[in-house]
Structures are given as structure tokens and as C-alpha cells.
Amino acid sequence: VPGRTSDPYVKFKIGGKEVFRSKTIHKNLNPVWEEKTSIMIEHLREQLYIKVFDYDFGLQDDFMGSAFLDLGSLEQNRSTEVTLSLKDPHYADQDLGTILLSVLLTPKEQQREGTMLMRKSWKRSSKFQTQSIRLSDLHRKAQLWRGIVSVTLIEGRELKAMDPNGLSDPYVKFRLGHQKYKSKIMPKTLNPQWKRQFDLHLYEERGGIIDMTVWDKDAGKKDDFIGRCQVDLSTLSKEQTHKLELPLEEGEGFLVLLVTLTASAAVSIADLPINALEDLKEQEEILKRYSLVRMFHNMKDVGFLQVKVIRAEGLMAADVTGKSDPFCVVELNNDRLLTHTVYKNLNPEWNKIFTFNIKDIHSVLEVTVYDEDRDRSADFLGKVAIPLLSIQNGEQKAYVLKNKQLTGPTKGVIYLEIDVIFNAVKASFRTLMPKEQKYIEEENRISKQLLLRNFMRMKRCVMVLVNAAYYINSCFDWDSPPRSLAAFVLFLFVTWNFELYMIPLTLLLLLVWNYFLIISGKDNRQRDTVSRAEDPSLHGGFMNKLYAIQEVCVSVQNILDEVASFGERIKNTFNWTVPFLSWLAIVALCVFTVILYFTPLRYIVLVWGINKFTKKLRSPYAIDNNEVLDFLSRVPSDVQLVCI
């Protein structure tokens, strides 16, 4: 297929054991390695097994073909040019290209090892099964993209049924140049509704072609192909949203997309000496672009972010050799760029500069360090998350790497220098718009620790409301006469003079009060995040954790029962489940309607408040109650009706 490339490398095996692996040649269907290696051959009757793969960062590498070399057919002490045809054992008739080797077989008496000089060339289109962007290690110049292709995958229509139940589990793969993305899987449907938006980077001014393939997810076996379609971006006008209904080729059905081409400030990756903000002319242009004078120009382009990834120190050893092969992934929402890999080093130096345009000033910059492992997916070494609004421009800082959940430190630090330039007016307007949804998301899984943490967070929020209710009730009960008297006078004054503007005024005064507490050094804010050190229920042995989970489950069970019962009792009141209570509700509602019709609300609130404040004074031993809740407690829930 025109425009497609691969990142091929070769594995050599003898007797099922890998004896050599070539380097990866990026974005090339006719790679030339010119590598040499020496391999000890025990028996000439053994065959040399050669396998070619397409390197896909973060996912399983794609198989591109294999061949066998019969060592017994080679002439000793003579360099032989060997051309082998690559085949797929499952599709023997398919031509996958050729590989060219130069082989010199030498007896052990003259030289203990055979020597190989490899060179390879072939033509084919490879499979694409990755959603990550892998930038070549050879990048030395800035790679600038000319614009953004905003894609909204709305839905699929009348897709082909691939499963025995007459349905499919469809998902879509997108490819534009070296960029690959994968949608979510929509189970058991022929008319999936994705409604997912993401951005692709346009590197060529003349446009490009977006390849889309639709697949049916099959657990435990190869996914079924449903169909494909393409979008030629050169045929679309810029700065305009196009709704496309694309028929699937080699299959059935349609894909419905929204595609928008927009020009944008450049996103780049470059070596450290190339610095946009140190170039006075470039800096002046950036400052002008985000000045208040241009506050209403291109509202989606909020600001400019420059990240210098300098080095890391004291990283975790991920390999058996006691070293790691670290590289960095820099992410801002759906923009994702990578550094090169520094092999066999726990103190790597990358010295790379990344630039992004900011769509939302409330975004969080994520920098993750991985250990490259060619035989499987990359190993996680550490991560930092930095809100853009907390960045101090021009400061080189050492950030302690944290675990995947960002709840605690892991081994190592990373040195970054970050600069943010943004337009405050655009950022303010953008705050009132929906957040950009991140389309590469991890699936939610059941976690005991997460369940306990979220329960404690909810419990803490509920306790704030409960404590506030207790405080107000203590004023009604005159536990502290001076406080209750002051509350009574304040209630009368506010109720009598109340106007709607007092609601935002109260919130404004609260914000100002807390601000003065902060600048005066009396800040008593506490983070809501619950860590292991803060939550004793997460410590201890298995039984302590089991009791904590049991307590959470019982509490959730009781809360769900109370909420469900409350809703069912209201429903059963209007359903005449208990006629006496329904008639009583009619009488009470008639009385309330007449009172509210003839009496201003201000007077009703005053009477209610005076009654609440004086009830304890008039009847010191009276039990406080809520008449509405007392009424509903007499109405049976659905569970109680079954038992009656």
C-alpha cells in the first residue's frame, strides 16, 4: 500500500535459541543493515532460523516473514551470497519479500566461529497493529507539524456481522503517516456509537491520507477484518468541519466522521541547542501570538509550552545486567512525543526539547520514563505529573519519579526545564468549555486499595456536611447560649433583608477570606488525596485489609438501601399503596398550597426559623424531629411490601 512503512529488524535462532538480533531500521521497506556477527555452530545439520519483525513500540511486534538457511549446503572457507525468500507458515503462497545474507563458514580448527555479514532488501506492505508513536533515534533536527487534523469518530452503520450471534465487537484503527490510533471496542453491535474525538498531526503541507480499518474483536484468536476506507486530506478545505459518511471497502457498512483541518503553532522535538525561546525573534513572535491584543484570534490556541528533558539520575535497574535502557515519553492531553533510548545507563542524558501548543491551561504535563525491552512491552520506571499552572518558567528542577498511580515515590529523579506562555483571556473562556477527552485511556479495573480510598474520600465529604448539620442543630438546641443568640439575630436580619445577590456575595466573601488566610500564613488546607500513610485501614496484614473491605461493603450496602428505600417510599405515596397516607398527603399539600399562595416566602421562613430557635426554650425535653421524614418512614418500601 503506497505511503506505508515499517521498522524492521531480524532475529536469528539455532536450535530454538536466539543467537543474534539486528538493530531496527526505522521507516524503511528496503533496509540495509551492514552488520557483522559471529555464531558458534555445533552441528552443520542444524538450520539457521531467520525471522523478520516490524518493531511496534508498546505493543507486540508484527511478524513479517521467516526463512531457513541450511548450513550443510554451504561451502566452507568461502564467502557466499545467499538470497532467501520470506514466507508466512500460515500463508505459504504469500510473497513477503527477500533477505540477502553474506555467509562465511569457517571450521573450528581455523576459526572458532562462523562469520556473517547481513544485508537485506524486500518490497511489501506490513501489518499495522499499534497505537503508539515511535520517533526515530536518529532525529537530530526539529520535526515540525504544519497543522492539526481533528477527527471525531461518531458511529458505524450496518456493519458486517462476524460473530455466530449475528453481531460484531467492532473497533477502528487509524493511521496517518507514522501515527497510529485505535478506538474503543463496542461489544455486540452492528451500529456502534463511539463519539470519540482526537487529533492527528499533519506534517506535510500538501496533506496526507488517513487509512481506517474496522475490525471485530475476538478473544483468544485473530481479530476479523470488517472493512477499510480512506480520507484524502488534500481534497478537504482547511478551517472547516467536514461530515463524512464513508462506505467500507472489502466489507459492508459505513463509518461516520467529522474531520477538521486547522493550522497550528508547531509542535516539535529537537536537540537541546535548538531553543525557540532563546531565539529573540522567535520569542517575540510567540509572545505576540499570545498577547492580549490577539485575545479573540483562534480561541483554541491558548498558549505555548516548551519542555526541556535534560537528564535522569538513579533510575531503577530493570534488566538482569543491573542496568536499564531508559527513554522518556512526554504527554500533554493527546499529544505524545518520545525521546531516544539511552542504552545500559541508570543516569541517562537526553537533552531534548519538546514544544506543544496548549488548548487548556488546566492540563497536566505527564513525563514518564520507561525501560525499552524489545522482546516485550516497555517496563515502567517512573512518572511525574505537573499542572501547567504550577510551572515556574525558566527553572531547571529535579522531579522525584513516582509510581503509576502517582501516590508514592519510586527510584530516581528527572531534571526538566519548562516554560509556559499563554493568553489569560483565552484560557478563561476555555475553562468554561468541555475538557478535551483523552482517547488513550487505561481500562478501569477492580482495585481493593482504590475502593478503600474512594470510600474514605466520600466519607470525609459526607462528614463535612454532617458536622455542619450538627453545628446548626447545636444552635437550635442552645448548647452555647451566646452562639445561639448571635445565630438567631443573624438569621432574623438575613431573612428579613434577603436578596438574590447575597448568594454570590457570600461565596465571594468566603473566597476572599480564605485568600487572606493563605497570604497571612494561616493556611489550613489539606489535600484530599488519601495515601497509605494517612489511612490506617490500608496498613497491617491480610485480616486488617479484609475487615476494612468488609466495612466498606457493609456501608455501601446500607447507603444503597437507604437511597433506594427513600425513592420507593416517595413513589408508593403517589401510587396509593397505603390509601390513608396518600389521603393525608393530599390534605397536607392542600394546606401548604393555600399558605404559600397567600403568604410571602420570607414570612414563612421567619416563622419556621423562630419555631426552630425557640422550640428548645419552650419545651426543653422535646425530641427534635423532621415531619416529612417521619411521614415517609410510615410508607413501606418495595422490599417491605414483598414481606407484608
Side-chain angles (χ1 to χ4, degrees):
V1 179
R4 289 192 171 182
T5 61
S6 296
D7 305 319
Y9 67 90
V10 187
K11 286 184 178 181
F12 292 82
K13 291 186 176 182
I14 292 181
K17 182 180 179 181
E18 183 176 327
V19 292
F20 178 71
R21 174 174 178 158
S22 75
K23 64 183 180 181
T24 302
I25 304 296
H26 293 281
K27 300 178 182 61
N28 201 324
L29 295 181
N30 299 281
V32 177
W33 282 278
E34 296 291 353
E35 288 187 78
K36 291 183 180 181
T37 186
S38 297
I39 301 172
M40 178 72 72
I41 306 299
E42 295 294 336
H43 304 285
L44 290 179
R45 64 175 178 269
E46 293 181 333
Q47 288 187 316
L48 180 64
Y49 186 29
I50 304 164
K51 298 178 73 175
V52 183
F53 293 90
D54 172 34
Y55 176 71
D56 279 343
F57 162 71
L59 297 174
Q60 184 176 358
D61 296 345
D62 298 330
F63 175 73
M64 301 183 71
S66 62
F68 288 94
L69 176 61
D70 185 4
L71 300 178
S73 63
L74 299 176
E75 184 178 349
Q76 297 185 14
N77 295 320
R78 180 181 176 183
S79 180
T80 306
E81 296 282 340
V82 180
T83 301
L84 302 174
S85 297
L86 295 174
K87 298 292 182 181
D88 187 339
H90 301 289
Y91 305 95
D93 297 333
Q94 189 173 3
D95 182 17
L96 301 180
T98 58
I99 182 169
L100 177 61
L101 307 175
S102 178
V103 185
L104 174 63
L105 189 64
T106 305
K108 292 182 181 179
E109 291 77 10
Q110 299 180 21
Q111 186 174 333
R112 293 190 55 84
E113 298 174 321
T115 305
M116 289 189 176
L117 172 63
M118 297 181 302
R119 186 170 71 255
K120 174 183 182 225
S121 64
W122 79 96
K123 296 181 179 179
R124 70 180 292 271
S125 58
S126 63
K127 300 176 288 181
F128 300 99
Q129 298 181 349
T130 180
Q131 61 185 42
S132 300
I133 304 173
R134 179 61 172 166
L135 296 179
S136 172
D137 295 348
L138 302 178
H139 279 178
R140 288 295 180 265
K141 296 181 180 179
Q143 181 178 1
L144 304 179
W145 43 274
R146 306 295 182 180
I148 298 175
V149 184
S150 178
V151 181
T152 302
L153 175 60
I154 301 177
E155 62 182 352
R157 296 177 186 169
E158 303 172 5
L159 299 182
K160 186 177 180 180
M162 306 301 294
D163 296 336
N165 58 7
L167 299 173
S168 294
D169 305 312
Y171 65 92
V172 184
K173 291 181 179 181
F174 294 82
R175 181 181 178 90
L176 175 60
H178 65 269
Q179 302 170 87
K180 308 171 189 177
Y181 299 101
K182 176 181 173 182
S183 75
K184 282 191 172 181
I185 299 169
M186 306 301 292
K188 297 180 176 59
T189 180
L190 299 180
N191 298 282
Q193 298 283 327
W194 284 285
K195 296 181 180 179
R196 304 284 294 198
Q197 189 277 331
F198 57 91
D199 293 336
L200 298 169
H201 299 155
L202 190 60
Y203 290 89
E204 301 177 5
E205 293 185 359
R206 62 179 181 274
I209 294 178
I210 301 179
D211 290 312
M212 289 161 281
T213 53
V214 186
W215 300 82
D216 168 53
K217 180 65 178 177
D218 285 333
K221 59 180 181 179
K222 187 176 181 180
D223 295 348
D224 297 323
F225 176 77
I226 296 179
R228 72 171 71 247
C229 56
Q230 291 183 335
V231 175
D232 187 352
L233 299 179
S234 63
T235 63
L236 303 180
S237 57
K238 294 183 179 179
E239 309 297 340
Q240 182 180 349
T241 299
H242 306 267
K243 184 174 182 180
L244 307 177
E245 185 172 330
L246 305 172
L248 295 179
E249 302 173 4
E250 305 175 32
E252 300 176 5
F254 302 85
L255 283 185
V256 181
L257 309 171
L258 294 179
V259 180
T260 307
L261 276 67
T262 57
S264 174
V267 170
S268 69
I269 172 174
D271 288 332
L272 195 54
I274 306 174
N275 188 341
L277 293 180
E278 290 180 0
D279 185 334
L280 295 179
K281 185 177 180 180
E282 185 77 15
Q283 182 180 9
E284 182 180 349
E285 183 180 339
I286 293 172
L287 291 173
K288 182 180 178 181
R289 185 190 308 150
Y290 300 110
S291 64
L292 294 178
V293 178
R294 306 185 65 184
M295 65 178 69
F296 297 111
H297 178 73
N298 193 1
M299 296 297 292
K300 291 185 178 181
D301 188 12
V302 172
F304 172 86
L305 171 67
Q306 178 177 276
V307 183
K308 297 181 184 178
V309 181
I310 302 170
R311 67 184 188 278
E313 293 180 355
L315 295 180
M316 185 189 309
D319 299 336
V320 293
T321 59
K323 299 289 185 180
S324 293
D325 304 322
F327 65 93
C328 250
V329 178
V330 183
E331 296 178 273
L332 184 67
N333 295 328
N334 291 316
D335 293 329
R336 187 174 189 268
L337 295 174
L338 291 80
T339 68
H340 62 281
T341 302
V342 180
Y343 292 98
K344 296 179 174 54
N345 202 321
L346 299 181
N347 302 286
E349 291 191 11
W350 292 288
N351 292 323
K352 290 291 183 181
I353 293 181
F354 300 89
T355 63
F356 303 85
N357 72 320
I358 301 171
K359 306 174 197 173
D360 189 347
I361 195 59
H362 306 284
S363 301
V364 176
L365 175 69
E366 295 182 356
V367 181
T368 311
V369 183
Y370 292 97
D371 168 64
E372 182 179 296
D373 197 329
R374 294 185 177 182
D375 293 331
R376 57 180 185 273
S377 59
D379 296 325
F380 176 85
L381 297 181
K383 180 179 183 179
V384 294
I386 309 165
L388 297 185
L389 286 173
S390 68
I391 291 172
Q392 300 291 328
N393 284 354
E395 288 188 5
Q396 184 181 135
K397 296 181 65 176
Y399 294 89
V400 177
L401 294 174
K402 297 183 178 181
N403 55 26
K404 286 185 179 180
Q405 294 76 29
L406 298 171
T407 55
T410 186
K411 192 174 181 182
V413 296
I414 186 168
Y415 289 84
L416 307 172
E417 184 178 329
I418 311 173
D419 292 275
V420 175
I421 298 173
F422 68 97
N423 185 296
V425 176
K426 290 183 181 181
S428 301
F429 278 107
R430 190 68 181 83
T431 303
L432 305 178
M433 300 178 186
K435 291 181 65 175
E436 180 183 3
Q437 190 171 12
K438 195 168 184 178
Y439 54 88
I440 301 179
E441 298 175 328
E442 293 185 1
E443 295 184 1
N444 293 327
R445 298 180 180 179
I446 296 177
S447 168
K448 300 186 291 293
Q449 181 180 347
L450 188 61
L451 177 65
L452 291 172
R453 187 185 71 179
N454 291 341
F455 177 77
M456 296 303 296
R457 291 169 58 201
M458 183 194 71
K459 183 177 179 181
R460 211 166 38 248
C461 293
V462 171
M463 288 307 300
V464 171
L465 300 177
V466 171
N467 291 334
Y470 280 141
Y471 183 84
I472 295 173
N473 196 58
S474 69
C475 293
F476 293 149
D477 291 341
W478 294 81
D479 292 343
S480 173
R483 185 179 64 195
S484 297
L485 180 61
F488 183 51
V489 172
L490 180 63
F491 169 77
L492 294 176
F493 176 79
V494 172
T495 305
W496 185 256
N497 298 283
F498 178 78
E499 299 292 342
L500 283 177
Y501 74 85
M502 293 183 178
I503 296 177
L505 178 61
T506 302
L507 299 176
L508 177 62
L509 293 175
L510 180 60
L511 284 169
V512 173
W513 172 256
N514 285 333
Y515 176 75
F516 280 113
L517 285 179
I518 293 172
I519 63 176
S520 63
K522 299 179 181 179
D523 181 17
N524 58 353
R525 293 175 297 176
Q526 294 182 350
R527 290 188 177 272
D528 292 333
T529 304
V530 180
S531 65
R532 288 181 174 269
E534 295 171 340
D535 187 7
S537 64
L538 299 180
H539 291 286
F542 173 76
M543 293 306 297
N544 287 342
K545 295 180 180 178
L546 183 63
Y547 289 141
I549 295 173
Q550 182 178 356
E551 179 186 356
V552 170
C553 293
V554 170
S555 300
V556 171
Q557 172 183 287
N558 293 337
I559 291 171
L560 293 176
D561 177 60
E562 291 293 332
V563 173
S565 297
F566 183 79
E568 291 169 354
R569 288 189 170 106
I570 295 176
K571 178 198 70 174
N572 291 336
T573 300
F574 290 91
N575 284 349
W576 292 80
T577 302
V578 180
F580 177 81
L581 293 174
S582 297
W583 279 113
L584 182 59
I586 288 177
V587 173
L589 290 173
C590 289
V591 173
F592 293 152
T593 301
V594 172
I595 293 175
L596 289 172
Y597 182 79
F598 289 103
T599 309
L601 182 61
R602 191 189 308 273
Y603 296 149
I604 296 174
V605 175
L606 278 173
V607 171
W608 173 85
I610 292 172
N611 175 64
K612 293 292 291 185
F613 273 103
T614 60
K615 187 175 183 180
K616 206 68 175 180
L617 298 177
R618 290 182 281 109
S619 302
Y621 302 105
I623 299 175
D624 194 21
N625 68 308
N626 185 295
E627 290 79 5
V628 176
L629 294 180
D630 292 339
F631 171 83
L632 288 175
S633 67
R634 267 69 174 188
V635 182
S637 65
D638 290 353
V639 174
Q640 292 172 330
L641 286 176
V642 174
C643 300
I644 296 176

